[in-house]
């Protein structure tokens, strides 16, 4: 069949469009990490779409073994904390994308799509409900909705809330491409399952990270360390304190700014607070002083290896040995490059006063470049 033959090579493109539309129109999917949306879910959508095309090409219904994986994938959404209506809504939305992008005999494809959805959706719903019965699902959904309401500044009527919270935002570490799309989903679920065991801690996920509301009396650093242990390596995170429930949205915004600053400045993964990056935070605000500091390094733009040398020297805490190792160069080569920086800029990175000035200039320069590229 020409229509089916034309769609098979486009299965990946159509699957990506399906998930993009679902993320745009179903709010619950926007709470999943980007790595899950763009990896696992796209792969699942492609497999289901290719199964549909196969059944059309072979003029038959899908078999029970063929439906086993799609049904299992639907049940997994219960583990992700998604409500059933969001899980089922994805199927007709995805079918509408395929319909819009299809060419050829649309009438036949439409009829077969309805038959296919009729086979899949009831079984997905049944598997989802069985999976939900095995989880403390209502408690998980309640905690996620509560976290979302507090972060949005909506009034909540609960007697089991703390008077104040630390708001912690974090990004899950990126995984190598060789790990496969399932690795990101499995990591996301492992982190969620671990955090679900923490009394009083509220969690919600968005994009490629999450937001924790850690009640007063519980150490935010310890909770963040649990995430690190599950991930097997440190995550970049930031925290801000909300004295009252009404302060939570502002604390969330502050923590998000600190996290973005730490990442844009390529700081080592750990938990940061505003006090840790107070100078950098001030330099991030546009001002004539920031422009003047960034201008100190403008003469080095034609020598990117010198900028890299200075950055490594600053990040290492002005330790030549560590900086040289990070750059994979000899210590003497680093010394030569620092000398070149002094010759070009007039500032000696090995002198304390000049080093402080160059460190501020490096921060201003990196922030300015980040804004231009963004």
């Amino acid at each position: 069949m020409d229509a089916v033959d034309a769609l098979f090579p486009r299965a990946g493109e159509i699957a990506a469009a399906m998930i993009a539309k679902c993320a745009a129109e179903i709010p619950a999917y926007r709470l999943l990490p980007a790595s899950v949306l763009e990896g696992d879910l796209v792969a699942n959508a492609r497999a289901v779409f290719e199964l549909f095309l196969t059944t059309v090409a072979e003029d038959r219904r899908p078999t029970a073994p063929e439906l086993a994986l799609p049904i299992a994938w639907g049940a997994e959404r219960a583990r992700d904390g998604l409500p059933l209506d969001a899980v089922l809504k994805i199927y007709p939305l995805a079918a509408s994308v395929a319909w819009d992008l299809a060419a050829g005999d649309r009438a036949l494809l439409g009829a077969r799509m309805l038959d296919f959805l009729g086979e899949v959706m009831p079984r997905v719903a049944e598997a989802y409900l069985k999976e939900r019965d095995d989880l403390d699902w209502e408690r998980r959904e309640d905690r996620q909705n509560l976290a979302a309401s507090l972060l949005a500044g909506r009034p909540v009527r609960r007697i089991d809330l703390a008077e104040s919270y630390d708001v912690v935002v974090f990004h899950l570490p990126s995984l190598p491409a060789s790990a496969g799309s399932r690795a990101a989903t499995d990591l996301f679920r492992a982190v969620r399952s671990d955090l679900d065991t923490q009394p009083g801690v509220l969690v919600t996920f968005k994009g490629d990270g999450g937001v924790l509301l850690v009640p007063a009396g519980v150490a935010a650093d310890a909770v963040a360390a649990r995430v690190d242990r599950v991930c097997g390596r440190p995550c970049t995170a930031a925290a801000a304190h909300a004295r009252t429930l009404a302060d939570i949205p502002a604390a969330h915004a502050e923590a998000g700014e600190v996290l973005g600053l730490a990442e844009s400045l390529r700081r080592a993964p750990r938990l940061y607070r505003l006090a840790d990056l107070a100078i950098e935070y001030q330099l991030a605000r546009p001002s004539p002083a920031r422009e003047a500091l960034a201008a100190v390094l403008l003469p080095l733009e034609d020598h990117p290896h010198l900028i890299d040398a200075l950055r490594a020297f600053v990040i290492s805490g002005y330790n030549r040995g560590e900086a040289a190792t990070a750059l994979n160069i000899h210590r003497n080569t680093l010394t030569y490059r620092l000398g070149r920086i002094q010759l070009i800029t007039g500032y000696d990175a090995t002198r304390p006063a000049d080093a402080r000035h160059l460190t501020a200039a490096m921060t201003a320069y990196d922030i300015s470049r980040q804004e231009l590229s963004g």
Side-chain angles (χ1 to χ4, degrees), residues 16-30 37 86 89-95 97:
M18 288 175 176
I19 299 304
K21 184 177 180 67
C22 291
E25 298 194 16
I26 308 175
Y29 279 86
R30 295 197 290 274
L37 277 175
K89 190 176 180 181
I90 196 171
Y91 289 94
L93 267 179
V97 172

Side-chain angles (χ1 to χ4, degrees), residues 138-159:
E138 290 186 1
R139 178 172 172 268
R140 171 179 288 181
E141 184 186 34
D142 179 59
R143 290 173 63 185
Q144 179 164 301
N145 290 339
L146 181 57
S149 293
L150 290 169
L151 290 168
R154 293 192 292 268
V156 295
R157 295 183 178 180
R158 297 285 292 262
I159 62 172

Side-chain angles (χ1 to χ4, degrees), residues 150-198:
L150 290 169
L151 290 168
R154 293 192 292 268
V156 295
R157 295 183 178 180
R158 297 285 292 262
I159 62 172
D160 56 346
L161 292 174
E163 291 185 1
S164 62
Y165 284 86
D166 273 337
V167 182
V168 179
V169 295
F170 65 93
H171 283 159
L172 296 175
S174 57
L175 297 171
S178 58
S181 61
R182 290 291 308 178
T185 304
D186 292 343
L187 180 60
F188 160 69
R189 291 196 181 117
V191 170
R192 177 188 283 280
S193 294
D194 184 81
L195 294 173
D196 280 346
T197 67
Q198 301 305 296

Side-chain angles (χ1 to χ4, degrees), residues 265-277:
L265 295 177
R266 308 181 210 183
R267 294 302 172 90
R270 69 177 183 86
L271 179 69
Y272 291 90
R273 293 181 183 271
L274 180 58
D276 299 317
L277 298 172

Side-chain angles (χ1 to χ4, degrees), residues 4-265:
V4 172
D5 291 341
L7 288 173
F8 260 114
R10 301 176 61 200
E13 165 206 343
I14 293 173
M18 288 175 176
I19 299 304
K21 184 177 180 67
C22 291
E25 298 194 16
I26 308 175
Y29 279 86
R30 295 197 290 274
L31 298 178
L32 296 174
S35 54
V36 175
L37 277 175
E38 298 165 7
D40 196 28
L41 289 184
V42 171
N44 293 355
R46 177 172 184 165
V48 173
F49 185 56
E50 288 178 341
L51 172 60
F52 163 70
L53 294 177
T54 298
T55 62
V56 175
E58 296 177 1
D59 192 23
R60 62 177 177 81
R61 302 166 76 90
T63 66
E66 288 174 328
L67 289 176
L69 272 179
I71 291 169
W73 292 332
E76 285 179 351
R77 303 286 82 82
R79 290 180 231 160
D80 295 337
L82 295 178
L84 181 57
D85 64 317
V87 174
L88 295 181
K89 190 176 180 181
I90 196 171
Y91 289 94
L93 267 179
S96 71
V97 172
W99 172 265
D100 290 340
L101 297 177
D105 191 349
R106 278 180 154 192
L108 175 61
L109 287 176
R112 296 303 295 268
M113 272 183 190
L114 291 175
D115 290 341
F116 188 81
L117 293 178
E119 292 275 356
V120 175
M121 291 177 65
R123 300 189 191 191
V124 167
E126 180 183 6
Y128 174 97
L129 292 172
K130 182 178 184 303
E131 183 71 25
R132 194 178 80 164
D133 288 342
D134 295 335
L135 295 169
D136 191 0
W137 189 88
E138 290 186 1
R139 178 172 172 268
R140 171 179 288 181
E141 184 186 34
D142 179 59
R143 290 173 63 185
Q144 179 164 301
N145 290 339
L146 181 57
S149 293
L150 290 169
L151 290 168
R154 293 192 292 268
V156 295
R157 295 183 178 180
R158 297 285 292 262
I159 62 172
D160 56 346
L161 292 174
E163 291 185 1
S164 62
Y165 284 86
D166 273 337
V167 182
V168 179
V169 295
F170 65 93
H171 283 159
L172 296 175
S174 57
L175 297 171
S178 58
S181 61
R182 290 291 308 178
T185 304
D186 292 343
L187 180 60
F188 160 69
R189 291 196 181 117
V191 170
R192 177 188 283 280
S193 294
D194 184 81
L195 294 173
D196 280 346
T197 67
Q198 301 305 296
V201 176
L202 303 175
V203 57
T204 186
F205 283 83
K206 186 175 182 180
D208 58 352
V211 184
L212 309 177
L213 299 182
V214 183
V218 178
D221 299 72
V223 177
R226 294 185 69 95
V227 178
D228 292 345
R229 283 195 293 274
V230 173
C231 293
R233 51 187 165 135
C235 298
T236 304
H241 185 64
R243 288 193 177 91
T244 69
L245 298 185
D247 294 329
I248 286 177
H252 182 212
E254 178 184 308
E257 281 193 78
V258 173
L259 177 63
L261 187 59
E263 291 183 325
S264 67
L265 295 177

